[in-house]
Every structure is written in structure tokens, then in C-alpha cells.
Amino acid sequence: MGNTEALKNMDRAVQERTKVLFLEHQQRIFKQTDRLFVGLMMFQWIAGIVIALVISPKTWMGPASQTHAHVWAAIFLGGGIASFPVALGIFAPGRIMTRNVIAVAQMLFSALLIHLTGGRIETHFHVFGSLAFLAFYRDWRILIPATIVVAIDHMVRGIFWPQSVFGVLTASPWRWVEHAAWVIFEDIFLIRSCRRSVVEMRHIAERTAQLEAHNQLVDVKVKERTRELFESKEELASEITERKKLKNMMIQSEKMAAVGQLAAGVAHEINNPVGFISNNIEMLEQYTTDYTKILRMVENLQKSIEEENMEKAKSIVKAMSQFEQEINLDYIINDTGKLLQYTQRGIERIQKIVMDLRTFAREDHGAIDFVKIEEVIDSILSIVQNELKYKAELKKNYGDTPLVKCNTQRVGQVFINLLVNAIQAIEKKGAIEVKTYKEDGHVCVDVRDTGKGIEPKNLEKIFDPFFTTKPVGQGTGLGLSVSYEIIKKHGGEIKVQSKIGEGTVFTVQLPVNL
Amino acid sequence: MKRNKHAVIIVFIVWALIVGLGWALLSHYENVPGQSQPLPEHWPLATKVRRTPGLPTLLMFVHPHCPCSRASAGELSLIMAHSQKKVRAQVLFLRPETLSEQWVKTDLWDSAMRIPGVEVVMDDQGKEARIFHANVSGQVMLYDARGNLVFSGGITPSRGHQGDNDGRDAIVSFLTKGIILHKQTPFFGCLLFSSLQQS
């Protein structure tokens, strides 16, 4: 029902637009033809004067002469005939009055030119040519005044000067009808042509209106589709952002999973220095008590000397000497320095582990820095130190490598995954080598282990998400997949070579951006 | 707006009246014939114009510069096309006393020369025109084989205007059928002599 109503409205709009377009087109033709006739009138006026001057410049009386009446007629009557239609054509083009006056004037010009050329039969064609010209208006109604002018001219002259128009003095008073009939004969064809032109103009207007309506419809549809596309683009953009967020979350989760996995080892690494720091503090506490006792004795000795109580001073010195021997003061003094030194080292070690862990585990904001890849590896090694030291001998083989532009946390996450995998691949005791070198515009890092190796059938799958050969609870299956993603994003590559029973080498290649 | 429309209608009426008046004046000028004088009813003895025995004689008097007479020359060529060997036709071109032969030999002279069967003669000082009492250019006289005037007048429908006309019909009718349709017709053209007034 709604669609039918919309179609009806559209039809109505097309009809109204057709009417407007038709009238605009018609008006344009009227104005153009008016302008054409303005030029033609001026031309005919000048042509009439030239004809008069050439054909009949003078009238004679024996050897004497004077300007011929035709010259005056061409100038004044021709000018008079042309003046009004020219003025209307210039100042009121397109009006019905204008084209009717032009039609009348045009036929008057025909008559004038016939007179000026001495009634030549050829000039009579001007009448028929003028009617054809008037048909340019595509308004058959203006042929009526034109025809009436011809008819009246013949009728009036037929009545008053019959010989001038019919050649004989005794012509039938209705002979003018015959002349008019020939004009009407041409009119019939011209009227038919005008009407057909008007029908064609209506068709054109209708088609244009339909085309416009169709274009408007298309325009609306295009706008609608553009809006929909824009909306889907926004949705897509938000989805991409969401996916990026999720991916980052996944990477972070994977990282935290690695941290969790390493937490016990890290705790153990921290616990060791904490243990000996605690022991050292305990010893230092004991030493402090001894130092305090000695200080008290020194204090009492000072007082006795001040009081000049030498007996008391001697007994104090004796007691002090006894106490020094008892506690072995030289050893304590020597040990105190060592204990403080060891404690200091222990604290520094804890600080480093905590800092490395914090650096690795903190939330990633995507910061890119120029870094030495070996520093990143060392930082990661301190986190995995506990796992590493019981299962493998670490061999570092660092080359002279340039700075690389990377996200430290992300690349660190890759090395943690590779090192943990290497450690887990070694069943009893083995070796892990970390080698850095520069090759073909890349900084390369090999992580080689002497573990059990990867089966060839699994080599293709190891970078797939959720693929793992580890027992349940030991791996997420995302480690290598995330590592692959991270290195790809850095414009690098990660490759693997493995042999069952001999070990595996992972090679990370990062482009040198300097 | 309405005032403008009225003004345009008034201007139209004024224009129509002016043009109508001009038209009436032009038509009047072109249709008022020359005044005829009594013509010699019999071939005058004083004339030096020659006749051919047994043939009618057609005389046309022409002012060499009269533009209106071009139409008469055109009509004469039509008459001659119908009856070339049935008449001796002569066109007499006026040569005033003070003017040279060159003054006479205009395009009209050439036109007349080109009409088959027509003799073109120079009428010095208008002597022959005076003998035949012709006073208007384009005036035609037709004498029968015995020297009797059978037709006189113009052979154009109006001044300088070609087309069907009584004069042509009358001459052709007499020459081809021997029937006199009209004895006289109006004639239009320039005056041959300045001393005569055009009517």
C-alpha cells in the first residue's frame, strides 16, 4: 500500500516536472526564434534598401530625375515594419505578442520585397520561406496572423487595385481566396510539423523528467548505501580496534602465564640471597652486641683514667683483653666487612631480578626503542636463571651487533618463550647456547638447546595457536604463536631447525633500522 | 504589468496604423496610372518608324533609366514568346537632346536587345514619342496591318510590377486570335518629358 502511494506520488511529480520542462524548453525556443527574427528583420530592412537603390534608385522625367519612391519606401516603410518587432524581440522575447507581431511584420516584409523587386515571381517565394521560418517557433497559432496578413493584402488590393494583384481589372472579388488558399496549403504542412514537434518536445520533457526522477532515486540510494557503508566501516574499525585490544590482551595474558610459570623460579632466585642476607644480618647482629660490649668497656676505661683510678683502669684493660680473646675480635672485624659486602651483593641481585621481572611483566604501551639485543637477552636470562641453572649450562656467544628498533617487552617475551622451551626440552642435563650476530641487514639471535628435538611432523605446526606437545598445565600453546606474531610485526622472521635426539635451534631475525 | 500590456497594445495599434498608411501610400503610388492623351488612331505619316506590310506593328516607348520599365520589358519578352513572327515590335528609347548615346544604352537597353524579334531604336529628342503622343515610359501601342490603332496602354499590372495583366492578354489575344479584348489599359512609368506632368 505504501509502495503504491509512493509510486503515485512519483508519477505525479514526474508529470509536474514534465510540464515545467516542456514550458521551459518551449520558452527557450520562443526566445531563440525571436532573436533570430530580430536579426532577420534588420537584415531584410537593409536588404530592401539595397534592392531599392540597385533596382530603382531614381524616377525620371525626361533628363531630370529624383529619388524613387521605392527608396523612401524601403527606408521608412521597411524601417517602420521592422521597428516594433525588433523592439519586442529585444525587450520582450518569448511573449506571445512578440511572435505574433513578428509574424505580421514578416509577411509585410514579404510584400514590400515583392514590390521592391518589381513583382518578380522569385520574390514571391519569400512568402513561403517566411512561413517556414515562422514554423521555427513550433507554435502553429502564429501562422494564423501571417496568413491573415497575406489574405487581407490580397483582398484589399483586389478590391481597390485588382490589376495590381490579379493582373486584370475584372477579376472575381473572391480571387484573393485562391491566393490565400495556397498559403493555407503550406500552413497545413507547417501546422502538422509544429504539432509533431510539440509532441516530440513533450516526449523529451517527459523522458528528461523520468531521467531526473530516476537520477534522484539513484542519488538517494547512493547516499543511503554510502551511509550504510560508512556505518559498516565504523563497525569494522571498532571491530578491528577490539581485535587489536584482544590480541594485546592475549599477548599480555601469555606473558603473564610465562611470568606465572617462572614465578617459583624467580622466587627461589630471590630466596637464596634473602637467605644469606638474613644469616649475615644475624651474624652482624651478634657482632654488634660484641662491639657494644667493647665500647662500654672503653667508656668505663676512659672514666677511670679521668678519675685517676688506675686500679680500676687496669682491671678493665684486663677484662677487655680477656673478652677480645674470647670473641676473637680480629676475626669479627674482618668478617663484618665481608658480611656487609655479601649482603650488599645479595641486595643488588634481588634488585636486578625484581627490576627485570617488573620490566618484563609491566603492561605494554607499545613503546619502541633502539636497544642492544644482548641487553634484552641478559635481562631475560636473569628471570629464567633458576630454571636454567639446574638443567643446562648456559653459553653466551655475543657478537658485535648494531642497535635494533623494537619493543623491548615484546621481544623479551619472545626470548623468554624460546629459553623456557629450550629448558623444558632438556630432560636431564644439557646445554643452551645464545648466540648473536649480524647477517644481511638483520640482527640474528640463535637459541640452541641440546634437548630431545621436535618431530618433523610437528615442525610445521609449532607456530599455530594452541598447538602444544607439553603436558596439560605446562603450556598454553600460544607461546610460539605469539612470538611469531611479535617478530612479524617487527618486520623480522623466526625460524626453527630441529633434529630428534640432538636438539633445536630457533633463530630470530630483526631488521637493522639504522 | 497590466499597464505594460495596454501600452504594448497601444504601440501595436499605432505601429499598425503607420505601417498601414505607408502601405496605402506605396500602393497608391504604384497603382495610379499615367494620364493618357488622345493617340493617333491611324499610323501617322510624319513618323520615320517603319512598318512591315501585312504585319501588325507594336511600339513601346521607353525612358532608358526608368526602373519601372524593366517590368514592361519583361512582359514584352513574354508577349514575343507567344507571337514572335506575328508582329513587328520596336522599342523606342528616348534620347534627350543634350545627352549622349551612352546615356541611352543602359541595362534596360541591353534587356530589350535580348528579346527575340524586337528592334531597339533610339528616339532622338523624343521626336517619335511626340508624333505618337506617348508621354510615359512603358507605354505600348499596337497598330494592325492596315495601320489602325487596336490597343494602347501598359503591359504591367501596376507600376514596375510584373505579372498577369490585361495589356499583355489584349496584345496576345489580338496577335494570336485577332480578338480585341481591351482597347486601352492603364500604364505606369517615368515621364518621358519633363514638361509634362504625371497624373
Side-chain angles (χ1 to χ4, degrees):
Chain A
M1 197 64 187
N3 277 348
T4 317
E5 191 59 34
L7 280 173
K8 270 184 188 172
N9 284 341
M10 199 174 153
D11 270 354
R12 212 172 297 132
V14 166
Q15 276 172 12
E16 278 168 19
R17 184 68 184 141
T18 301
K19 210 180 284 175
V20 171
L21 285 171
F22 170 75
L23 289 175
E24 277 176 4
H25 189 189
Q26 201 177 39
Q27 197 59 22
R28 214 163 42 240
I29 286 170
F30 288 159
K31 285 184 179 178
Q32 281 172 357
T33 316
D34 281 345
R35 280 195 287 272
L36 185 76
F37 270 105
V38 166
L40 187 64
M41 291 283 164
M42 298 301 289
F43 173 75
Q44 287 173 152
W45 181 37
I46 293 163
I49 295 169
V50 172
I51 288 167
L53 287 171
V54 170
I55 297 177
S56 49
K58 289 176 178 176
T59 185
W60 293 79
M61 289 163 290
S65 67
Q66 63 185 47
T67 305
H68 199 284
H70 277 181
V71 175
W72 300 123
I75 294 171
F76 295 107
L77 186 55
I81 291 169
S83 61
F84 190 43
V86 165
L88 284 176
I90 292 169
F91 299 110
R95 301 261 177 89
I96 188 160
M97 176 78 169
T98 304
R99 53 184 178 279
N100 277 293
V101 169
I102 283 173
V104 170
Q106 185 58 25
M107 302 324 286
L108 290 174
F109 253 119
S110 290
L112 180 64
L113 290 173
I114 289 167
H115 279 278
L116 295 179
T117 56
R120 287 168 65 86
I121 193 75
E122 290 86 348
T123 321
H124 283 77
F125 290 116
H126 190 276
V127 175
F128 299 101
S130 294
L131 288 169
F133 254 119
L134 289 170
F136 282 13
Y137 279 112
R138 304 187 193 181
D139 179 5
W140 64 270
R141 291 167 300 179
I142 60 149
L143 296 171
I144 297 171
T147 307
I148 289 172
V149 167
V150 176
I152 288 176
D153 176 53
H154 281 75
M155 187 182 75
V156 170
R157 288 199 292 129
I159 292 166
F160 294 103
W161 307 285
Q163 183 162 313
S164 75
V165 59
F166 308 125
V168 290
L169 291 160
T170 53
S172 158
W174 293 104
R175 183 118 177 241
W176 64 272
V177 177
E178 184 191 336
H179 285 245
W182 284 110
V183 176
I184 290 166
F185 177 70
E186 190 190 357
D187 283 347
I188 291 167
F189 295 101
L190 293 176
I191 287 168
R192 193 174 154 73
S193 164
C194 286
R195 289 177 70 90
R196 189 174 289 175
S197 294
V198 168
V199 169
E200 279 170 10
M201 277 163 67
R202 274 192 207 283
H203 281 316
I204 290 169
E206 197 174 355
R207 275 188 215 131
T208 309
Q210 281 169 348
L211 198 68
E212 279 181 4
H214 182 72
N215 284 346
Q216 272 175 2
L217 205 67
V218 169
D219 204 32
V220 167
K221 279 193 177 172
V222 166
K223 276 183 185 161
E224 210 170 287
R225 290 276 181 277
T226 310
R227 190 175 49 77
E228 281 174 10
L229 273 174
F230 189 72
E231 279 172 7
S232 12
K233 189 187 154 197
E234 279 187 339
E235 269 176 33
L236 203 66
S238 114
E239 203 169 301
I240 288 168
T241 314
E242 194 61 30
R243 276 185 181 216
K244 273 186 183 169
K245 267 188 199 168
L246 286 172
K247 207 166 203 177
N248 283 338
M249 277 168 71
M250 188 185 83
I251 291 170
Q252 184 68 14
S253 303
E254 200 280 333
K255 188 166 72 180
M256 294 321 287
V259 171
Q261 211 174 337
L262 294 167
V266 171
H268 185 71
E269 276 303 298
I270 293 170
N271 203 35
N272 270 349
V274 166
F276 70 74
I277 288 168
S278 175
N279 288 338
N280 290 354
I281 288 170
E282 218 172 291
M283 287 304 292
L284 284 169
E285 202 175 7
Q286 183 61 46
Y287 292 161
T288 307
T289 311
D290 294 339
Y291 286 134
T292 310
K293 270 186 186 173
I294 289 170
L295 280 174
R296 292 279 176 235
M297 283 177 185
V298 171
E299 211 172 50
N300 289 335
L301 182 66
Q302 200 175 356
K303 268 184 189 173
S304 302
I305 292 167
E306 280 171 4
E307 289 167 4
E308 293 179 352
N309 188 348
M310 295 312 289
E311 282 302 314
K312 197 180 176 183
K314 280 179 185 174
S315 72
I316 292 169
V317 168
K318 196 179 173 184
M320 276 177 69
S321 177
Q322 248 178 339
F323 186 67
E324 277 174 20
Q325 280 176 359
E326 199 178 303
I327 60 170
N328 195 358
L329 185 61
D330 289 340
Y331 173 78
I332 288 175
I333 290 166
N334 191 36
D335 200 33
T336 301
K338 282 182 185 172
L339 286 175
L340 284 170
Q341 207 176 352
Y342 293 152
T343 303
Q344 180 64 33
R345 280 185 200 162
I347 288 167
E348 280 173 2
R349 197 169 153 199
I350 291 166
Q351 272 179 334
K352 187 172 185 319
I353 292 169
V354 169
M355 199 184 283
D356 286 344
L357 191 65
R358 205 175 61 177
T359 306
F360 172 70
R362 73 165 182 246
E363 201 181 343
D364 174 25
H365 294 294
I368 302 284
D369 300 304
F370 284 103
V371 292
K372 266 300 247 188
I373 202 73
E374 291 79 5
E375 286 174 10
V376 180
I377 296 166
D378 281 343
S379 163
I380 295 307
L381 282 171
S382 78
I383 297 170
V384 298
Q385 182 60 35
N386 188 62
E387 273 75 9
L388 189 66
K389 68 187 175 192
Y390 296 115
K391 294 190 83 174
E393 187 190 333
L394 177 68
K395 195 179 169 190
K396 290 200 277 189
N397 188 3
Y398 290 166
D400 184 17
T401 59
L403 297 175
V404 284
K405 199 175 175 185
C406 68
N407 180 323
T408 316
Q409 277 186 290
R410 292 268 164 106
V411 173
Q413 192 174 349
V414 172
F415 290 125
I416 251 187
N417 286 329
L418 296 182
L419 286 165
V420 167
N421 283 350
I423 292 162
Q424 287 175 347
I426 296 167
E427 286 174 326
K428 287 179 184 170
K429 189 82 180 169
I432 290 175
E433 185 193 10
V434 179
K435 184 182 173 185
T436 64
Y437 55 97
K438 190 184 165 194
E439 191 180 83
D440 298 333
H442 287 81
V443 167
C444 305
V445 180
D446 288 351
V447 179
R448 183 190 303 273
D449 65 66
T450 55
K452 57 188 173 187
I454 303 164
E455 282 187 51
K457 64 172 184 179
N458 292 334
L459 268 178
E460 286 178 8
K461 301 177 196 167
I462 56 168
F463 294 113
D464 292 348
F466 305 110
F467 178 79
T468 181
T469 54
K470 294 173 191 172
V472 177
Q474 267 200 31
T476 57
L478 289 171
L480 283 175
S481 159
V482 165
S483 300
Y484 184 84
E485 193 74 26
I486 290 168
I487 297 302
K488 274 276 167 201
K489 270 201 169 175
H490 280 78
E493 270 191 89
I494 182 163
K495 294 173 183 171
V496 61
Q497 284 178 305
S498 185
K499 217 169 186 182
I500 294 288
E502 285 187 16
T504 305
V505 187
F506 279 93
T507 304
V508 173
Q509 294 178 323
L510 287 168
V512 177
N513 296 308
L514 285 175
Chain B
M1 197 70 183
K2 208 169 181 181
R3 193 182 277 181
N4 275 352
K5 202 175 174 182
H6 286 152
V8 170
I9 291 169
I10 290 165
V11 173
F12 173 72
I13 293 166
V14 171
W15 172 75
L17 287 173
I18 291 170
V19 169
L21 182 68
W23 206 251
L25 288 172
L26 180 65
S27 297
H28 180 263
Y29 166 76
E30 289 190 340
N31 291 286
V32 174
Q35 199 177 38
S36 179
Q37 289 185 13
L39 303 179
E41 288 294 324
H42 298 284
W43 191 261
L45 294 173
T47 182
K48 286 182 180 170
V49 177
R50 292 192 176 179
R51 291 168 60 210
T52 300
L55 273 184
T57 306
L58 184 148
L59 302 178
M60 181 192 267
F61 293 89
V62 172
H63 188 295
H65 290 271
C66 177
C68 321
S69 297
R70 282 198 195 93
S72 302
E75 289 299 321
L76 180 62
S77 69
L78 287 175
I79 292 168
M80 294 310 290
H82 284 100
S83 43
Q84 198 180 329
K85 291 181 179 171
K86 293 170 185 162
V87 66
R88 179 170 185 176
Q90 297 176 68
V91 180
L92 292 94
F93 276 81
L94 169 78
R95 185 172 81 86
E97 192 179 357
T98 53
L99 295 166
S100 68
E101 284 187 7
Q102 282 307 111
W103 185 85
V104 181
K105 290 181 177 175
T106 59
D107 63 318
L108 193 55
W109 171 280
D110 296 337
S111 299
M113 288 284 282
R114 282 197 294 271
I115 303 170
V118 168
E119 294 167 54
V120 181
V121 181
M122 216 172 276
D123 181 15
D124 289 330
Q125 297 165 37
K127 283 177 193 165
E128 294 298 340
R130 289 181 205 279
I131 290 168
F132 282 93
H133 296 180
N135 61 348
V136 173
S137 181
Q139 197 172 347
V140 175
M141 291 162 203
L142 179 64
Y143 286 89
D144 64 12
R146 286 178 293 185
N148 296 319
L149 182 69
V150 291
F151 169 81
S152 71
I155 51 173
T156 58
S158 62
R159 183 182 297 274
H161 204 114
Q162 267 186 272
D164 290 344
N165 63 87
D166 284 348
R168 189 217 296 164
D169 289 349
I171 293 166
V172 171
S173 168
F174 178 78
L175 294 176
T176 55
K177 298 171 193 164
I179 299 165
I180 301 168
L181 289 176
H182 308 284
K183 179 84 175 155
Q184 269 192 325
T185 56
F187 46 90
F188 311 91
C190 299
L191 296 177
L192 292 174
F193 306 104
S194 55
S195 56
L196 290 170
Q197 291 299 311
Q198 191 182 17
S199 328

